């Protein structure tokens, strides 16, 4: 038996305040705009807003309602919440049990999500989730069991994440040394080396058309690429006619792409399209000129100091003007090719280790998700020794 979430809790949709009311965190009311400030269990606010229109209270379940939809946290203090977050305030259920239930509902929420640029769900979508009904003691037993079991998995994941971070930092240092530190060239401004273009937003109804289709990548595709940085097969396509009608720039193969707004920007992923392509309006495309060997250009962008190019705010954004003014060393083409070939060999070893660690993390996360779902839906019998309060 199950009942809609709205019969067990109140769902509070976040609301964004005026930008002038948001400032860096000090002594005011902490404020979170979206899941970028979510942690493993609780958020780490970076901003404050004393006049936040909507406030979550300690014990509320926090849910990301904009992509990535379904991420969950728990509020441990009063928090202003922006429109990327909803708060679930339990009044006929155990808050910890609801936290684990909502954590298990990510797939259901994503199935309800709509939107062409940022997929999102509404407070009504959350309120309609069907929650398995158990008595309060059983809810607490399930929550306690999942707290213990997931802690073990999370510790393993955290160890692998640390390995990935260390390897990534080593890779970045290697690239920067090869492109910049070992290169005496004073550099040329990027505006003279790349043609930069923004992407275009396409409504879902205009995607997936097979007549003269052109590959279309959304910002989430930046997380799916081979070890060579080339984007994998696109999930979406747009017709050439639609692209032309909307004045969208069709990017030639060999163009480099990156995020220009949101949490994806902070990951600093530089990718390559290997075919005529379109990208969404959350990405920036950089087509290298004849002065750059394509693979060298790829590594040169990876070697940028992203911290100096990100404009701070509730939603981070790329300072495109600063990017265009950034200097890149430009040795002769034969030297560029030699640098790129050497980096291809050396980074391949690190990329292999990173891929193994990321695969372990992926499998552990799948196991974690399956455990949570089985526990909250009654498919898993909680061991007797685990049921003691």
């Amino acid at each position: 038996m199950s009942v809609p979430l709205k019969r067990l809790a109140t769902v509070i949709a976040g609301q964004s305040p005026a930008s002038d009311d948001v400032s860096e965190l000090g002594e005011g009311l902490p404020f979170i705009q979206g899941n970028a400030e979510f942690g493993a269990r609780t958020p780490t606010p970076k901003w404050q807003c004393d006049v936040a229109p909507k406030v979550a209270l300690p014990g509320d379940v926090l849910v990301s309602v904009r992509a990535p939809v379904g991420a969950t946290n728990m509020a441990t203090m009063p928090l202003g919440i922006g429109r990327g977050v909803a708060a679930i305030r339990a009044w006929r259920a155990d808050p910890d049990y609801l936290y684990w239930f909502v954590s298990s509902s990510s797939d259901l929420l994503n199935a309800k999500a709509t939107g062409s640029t940022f997929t999102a769900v509404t407070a009504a979508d959350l309120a309609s989730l069907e929650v398995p009904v158990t008595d309060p003691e059983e809810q607490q037993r399930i929550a306690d069991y999942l707290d213990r079991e997931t802690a073990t998995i999370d510790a393993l994941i955290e160890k692998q994440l640390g390995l990935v971070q260390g390897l990534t930092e080593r890779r970045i240092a290697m690239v920067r040394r090869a492109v910049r530190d070992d290169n005496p060239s004073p550099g040329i401004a990027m505006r003279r080396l790349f043609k930069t273009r923004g992407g275009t937003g396409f409504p879902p109804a205009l995607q997936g058309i097979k007549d003269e289709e052109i590959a279309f990548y959304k910002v989430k595709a930046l997380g799916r690429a081979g070890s060579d940085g080339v984007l994998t097969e696109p999930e979406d396509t747009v017709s050439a006619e639609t692209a032309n009608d909307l004045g969208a720039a069709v990017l030639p193969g060999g163009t480099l792409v990156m995020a220009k707004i949101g949490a994806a920007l902070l990951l600093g992923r530089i990718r390559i399209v290997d075919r005529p392509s379109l990208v969404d309006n959350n990405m920036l495309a950089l087509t290298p000129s004849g002065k750059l060997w394509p693979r060298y250009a790829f590594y040169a962008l990876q070697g940028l100091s992203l911290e100096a190019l990100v404009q701070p705010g509730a939603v981070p954004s790329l300072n495109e003007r600063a990017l265009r003014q950034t200097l890149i060393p430009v040795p002769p083409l034969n030297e560029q090719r030699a640098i790129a070939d050497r980096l291809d060999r050396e980074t391949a070893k690190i990329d292999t280790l990173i891929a193994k660690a990321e695969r372990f993390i992926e499998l552990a996360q799948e196991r974690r998700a399956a455990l949570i779902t089985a526990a909250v839906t009654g498919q898993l019998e909680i061991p007797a020794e685990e049921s003691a309060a």
Side-chain angles (χ1 to χ4, degrees):
M1 180 180 174
S2 63
V3 298
L5 178 61
K6 63 185 177 182
R7 290 177 55 185
L8 303 174
T10 301
V11 179
I12 303 163
Q15 183 177 336
S16 296
S19 58
D20 290 344
D21 293 331
V22 178
S23 58
E24 290 189 12
L25 184 61
E27 299 298 321
L29 176 70
F31 173 80
I32 59 173
Q33 177 64 36
N35 71 296
E37 290 132 316
F38 277 16
R41 181 72 177 251
T42 60
T44 304
K46 299 178 181 178
W47 311 98
Q48 68 179 30
C49 179
D50 290 327
V51 291
K54 296 295 178 69
V55 177
L57 299 179
D60 286 355
V61 180
L62 305 172
V63 188
S64 173
V65 294
R66 299 183 71 186
V69 170
T72 55
N73 260 204
M74 288 285 284
T76 57
M77 64 182 81
L79 290 168
I81 52 174
R83 60 180 179 175
V85 178
I88 298 174
R89 187 166 300 157
W91 45 273
R92 286 186 59 194
D94 183 89
D96 292 319
Y97 172 75
L98 284 187
Y99 167 80
W100 289 116
F101 165 73
V102 177
S103 296
S104 73
S105 302
S106 177
D107 289 344
L108 290 173
L109 290 173
N110 276 280
K112 295 174 179 284
T114 58
S116 57
T117 302
F118 289 106
T119 55
V121 292
T122 65
D125 292 327
L126 285 171
S128 67
L129 288 174
E130 291 288 326
V131 184
V133 175
T134 61
D135 61 66
E137 290 186 2
E138 180 69 10
Q139 291 179 22
Q140 189 60 62
R141 288 171 54 205
I142 292 171
D144 290 345
Y145 172 77
L146 288 174
D147 283 344
R148 289 188 290 271
E149 293 300 311
T150 58
T152 300
I153 299 174
D154 290 342
L156 295 173
I157 291 175
E158 189 65 27
K159 184 177 181 179
Q160 293 299 309
L161 287 172
L163 175 61
V164 170
Q165 181 178 351
L167 289 169
T168 301
E169 291 173 354
R170 178 181 166 191
R171 189 186 193 281
I172 291 172
M174 178 187 294
V175 170
R176 287 180 178 171
R177 184 169 58 251
V179 173
R180 295 182 176 276
D181 298 345
D182 296 344
N183 199 323
S185 170
I188 298 176
M190 282 183 56
R191 61 184 172 80
R192 296 173 56 192
L193 298 172
F194 294 90
K195 181 176 182 179
T196 58
R197 288 170 286 197
T200 305
F202 292 92
L206 299 179
Q207 299 171 24
I209 300 171
K210 300 302 180 182
D211 181 26
E212 296 184 273
E213 62 181 16
I214 300 172
F216 175 50
Y217 295 101
K218 299 177 183 178
V219 71
K220 64 181 180 181
L222 296 175
R224 303 187 304 271
S227 59
D228 58 358
V230 176
L231 289 179
T232 55
E233 289 291 325
E235 293 183 351
D236 303 293
T237 59
V238 172
S239 73
E241 181 180 2
T242 296
N244 183 66
D245 289 345
L246 294 180
V250 178
L251 310 172
T255 294
L256 306 171
V257 295
M258 63 184 294
K260 65 178 183 179
I261 191 170
L265 168 62
L266 302 180
L267 296 175
R269 290 170 174 154
I270 307 297
R271 302 304 192 209
I272 308 169
V273 297
D274 64 352
R275 68 197 75 188
S277 303
L278 298 158
V279 295
D280 75 16
N281 50 5
N282 297 299
M283 288 204 272
L284 183 70
L286 303 101
T287 305
S289 69
K291 296 179 182 179
L292 294 175
W293 185 258
R295 291 296 294 175
Y296 176 83
F298 171 65
Y299 286 118
L301 291 188
Q302 288 186 349
L304 295 178
S305 177
L306 191 63
E307 296 81 5
L309 301 174
V310 174
Q311 298 180 132
V315 179
S317 60
L318 179 67
N319 186 332
E320 295 184 41
R321 181 178 180 182
L323 178 71
R324 287 192 291 268
Q325 294 174 342
T326 299
L327 300 180
I328 288 182
V330 184
L333 285 172
N334 62 327
E335 292 184 24
Q336 292 182 35
R337 182 170 183 174
I339 291 171
D341 288 347
R342 175 160 56 88
L343 285 174
D344 280 345
R345 293 190 300 271
E346 294 178 353
T347 59
K349 302 171 186 177
I350 298 177
D351 290 339
T352 297
L353 296 175
I354 291 175
K356 288 182 178 179
E358 289 179 336
R359 179 56 178 161
F360 179 93
I361 293 169
E362 181 182 353
L363 292 174
Q365 289 173 334
E366 290 175 359
R367 178 187 173 195
R368 186 183 193 276
L371 177 70
I372 295 169
T373 299
V376 299
T377 58
Q379 301 173 47
L380 176 67
E381 182 177 351
I382 306 300
E385 62 271 22
E386 302 287 357
S387 63

